[in-house]
Amino acid sequence: MSEMTGETGVQSGTARGYLSEMGPSWVAGAIAAGPASMASLITAGAGFGYSLLWVVLLSAVAGTVAQYLAMRLGLLSGQGIVTLVESYLGESWAWILVVDVVVAAGVAQLVIMKTVASVSATITGIDARIWGVIWAVILLAGLAGRGYRFLELAAKALVAAVVLAFVASAFIVPIDAGSAVQGLIPTLPSNGALVAAGILGGAVHITLITMHSYTMRARGWDESDYGLATFDVIASMLVAFGIYSISIFLVAASVLSDPNLTTVGAAQALGPLVGPNAKWLFLLGLGGAAVSTLGGNTIVPPFVVADKLGWGTTVEDSRYRALLAAFALLSAPGAFIGGQVIGQLVLVLALGTVGTPFAIAVVLYLLNSEAVPKSNATLANAGGVGILLVSGALAANFVRGQIAGGVELLSGAVLAFAVILGVAIVVLLGKYVREEVSVA
């Protein structure tokens, strides 16, 4: 592994060694750099021009900070996040976290499968519903059959290829540098709150935060790998995901002007506008992003459910393997969902944003408790609180927008979900304040 001995950050060890050993954060990056993020970025660029570029940059930074905090928790405690929550907060809190993760990841899985199947159908001409079944079987064989290391290797390869594809697309498309610079000034256009929540939700999402302790355990990392783990987070989230997001956004803002485009439609629209090369690069990038996200997202609910039930979180435990297989197969119905996928993808990310503040609050609480041997640094706490406030504000705006449209089944469910988690955050904050006062 690395030459690190203790918590000293990225200070020693060769870059070549880090590049060859990194991996767990790339699985999170594979989920972040997926079709849902792409849908939000396309919608933002096509609908609002360059004005939300600052949100795109903020999302990469916020995603890096969130993953760094999740990395610290898993690495310094050596346990899965659900076990930690149950040990230091209680069983009810652990179940709230598990339900939060399963709802957010489960809804996302269906829509992501629809995207994968749609892209596969566009490329091959074979019906998307058939592709849904095919990809579900591939997930079953790859993940339940070969385990985490297979997913990690695939994630690194696919994310690298996706980033290259979109960077190439950005070079083909003419970009207005002056307007792009103006987009760095923070402004929120009318009706832009949902899209902004979607962009941030792609980088700071409950599935990414909760999975990290399990993926590092699957690699056998501990505190001595702190420098490697930090490098892993920076390389995958700040660099790879940041370049991915900026490239897609700039392409959409430069030449697309229809906010109702589908993800596949955006790729097809590039053909007559800037040439077939851009179309196929964009389409292949979309396909790679969708496949990598589908695989990464599949492992998240089985991780937290198995941890809550006291099972192993690797395929060596047949119970975990069965959970993984079941979730993989339950992805197939996603290919049969009707409607335009881009709006569904943005909604999925925004819905995830509703569940994310609770996960961040839990991580911050645990990092400042006896769950870890070393207290969180002031700067890390400040970054975490900043993400909590931003994600909370975006979640509140999203919920308000859903209610404004009339409380129906979907908006009512979102509202109930948000209220439960909001109350949980307030109670958790009160618990932390009482403990600090008693110690003082």
Side-chain angles (χ1 to χ4, degrees):
M1 291 287 182
S2 70
E3 299 173 13
M4 299 301 300
T5 55
E7 183 191 348
T8 55
V10 184
Q11 296 176 0
S12 65
T14 64
R16 180 178 298 177
Y18 280 162
L19 288 170
S20 63
E21 292 291 339
M22 66 182 180
S25 191
W26 285 80
V27 179
I31 298 176
S37 291
M38 185 185 301
S40 294
L41 293 164
I42 291 172
T43 302
F48 304 102
Y50 295 98
S51 62
L52 291 177
L53 180 57
W54 66 275
V55 178
V56 178
L57 293 177
L58 176 64
S59 72
V61 175
T64 303
V65 174
Q67 285 307 113
Y68 174 75
L69 294 174
M71 177 274 289
R72 277 184 57 82
L73 180 62
L75 208 64
L76 298 180
S77 69
Q79 299 184 68
I81 188 171
V82 173
T83 294
L84 289 172
V85 170
E86 187 161 8
S87 298
Y88 292 92
L89 287 171
E91 186 173 15
S92 297
W93 289 92
W95 276 119
I96 291 174
L97 181 61
V98 170
V99 171
D100 192 4
V101 173
V102 171
V103 169
V107 173
Q109 186 77 358
L110 293 173
V111 181
I112 294 167
M113 174 59 88
K114 178 179 177 179
T115 306
V116 174
S118 297
V119 174
S120 301
T122 301
I123 294 174
T124 65
I126 299 174
D127 190 279
R129 291 167 294 186
I130 296 175
W131 272 114
V133 176
I134 292 173
W135 281 115
V137 172
I138 291 173
L139 282 177
L140 172 64
L143 298 181
R146 300 185 62 184
Y148 168 76
R149 285 293 284 167
F150 168 76
L151 173 63
E152 185 182 283
L153 292 171
K156 286 193 285 188
L158 284 170
V159 170
V162 166
V163 169
L164 288 175
F166 288 123
V167 168
S169 296
F171 275 105
I172 293 174
V173 171
I175 295 171
D176 185 340
S179 297
V181 171
Q182 290 182 352
L184 297 175
I185 301 173
T187 57
L188 192 62
S190 177
N191 300 321
L194 175 59
V195 178
I199 293 173
L200 187 67
V204 185
H205 196 276
I206 184 171
T207 56
L208 312 183
I209 296 168
T210 53
M211 74 184 296
H212 210 48
S213 57
Y214 302 104
T215 53
M216 287 190 301
R217 289 175 68 198
R219 281 294 299 271
W221 286 5
D222 57 28
E223 189 177 341
S224 66
D225 298 296
Y226 197 95
L228 170 59
T230 303
F231 181 87
D232 189 39
V233 170
I234 293 172
S236 63
M237 292 302 298
L238 187 62
V239 179
F241 177 74
I243 294 173
Y244 160 93
S245 300
I246 293 170
S247 298
I248 295 173
F249 177 82
L250 290 178
V251 168
S254 299
V255 297
L256 300 177
S257 59
D258 182 2
N260 296 315
L261 280 171
T262 64
T263 45
V264 175
Q268 294 172 330
L270 290 174
L273 290 172
V274 291
N277 289 337
K279 167 190 171 181
W280 284 105
L281 281 170
F282 205 83
L283 192 58
L284 291 173
L286 169 59
V291 172
S292 66
T293 302
L294 186 67
N297 195 71
T298 302
I299 69 173
V300 180
F303 269 150
V304 296
V305 172
D307 193 17
K308 179 65 188 73
L309 297 177
W311 301 349
T313 53
T314 67
V315 291
E316 280 69 34
D317 189 315
S318 59
R319 297 167 297 184
Y320 170 79
R321 186 195 293 264
L323 275 176
L324 194 56
F327 197 71
L329 291 177
L330 287 174
S331 306
F336 295 80
I337 297 175
Q340 294 293 342
V341 72
I342 195 165
Q344 294 167 349
L345 287 167
V346 175
L347 183 62
V348 161
L349 280 187
L351 180 60
T353 301
V354 172
T356 298
F358 174 70
I360 296 171
V362 166
V363 168
L364 284 172
Y365 176 88
L366 293 172
L367 283 172
N368 290 279
S369 72
E370 296 179 355
V372 296
K374 299 180 181 180
S375 298
N376 221 25
T378 301
L379 184 60
N381 278 331
V385 170
I387 295 172
L388 177 60
L389 293 175
V390 171
S391 62
L394 289 173
N397 282 333
F398 168 63
V399 172
R400 186 160 43 247
Q402 290 293 300
I403 296 173
V407 179
E408 299 174 352
L409 179 61
L410 177 59
S411 58
V414 171
L415 177 61
F417 190 50
V419 168
I420 292 171
L421 295 179
V423 170
I425 292 173
V426 172
V427 172
L428 187 60
L429 176 61
K431 177 179 173 61
Y432 176 75
V433 170
R434 288 195 304 272
E435 291 171 351
E436 288 297 302
V437 170
S438 65
V439 171

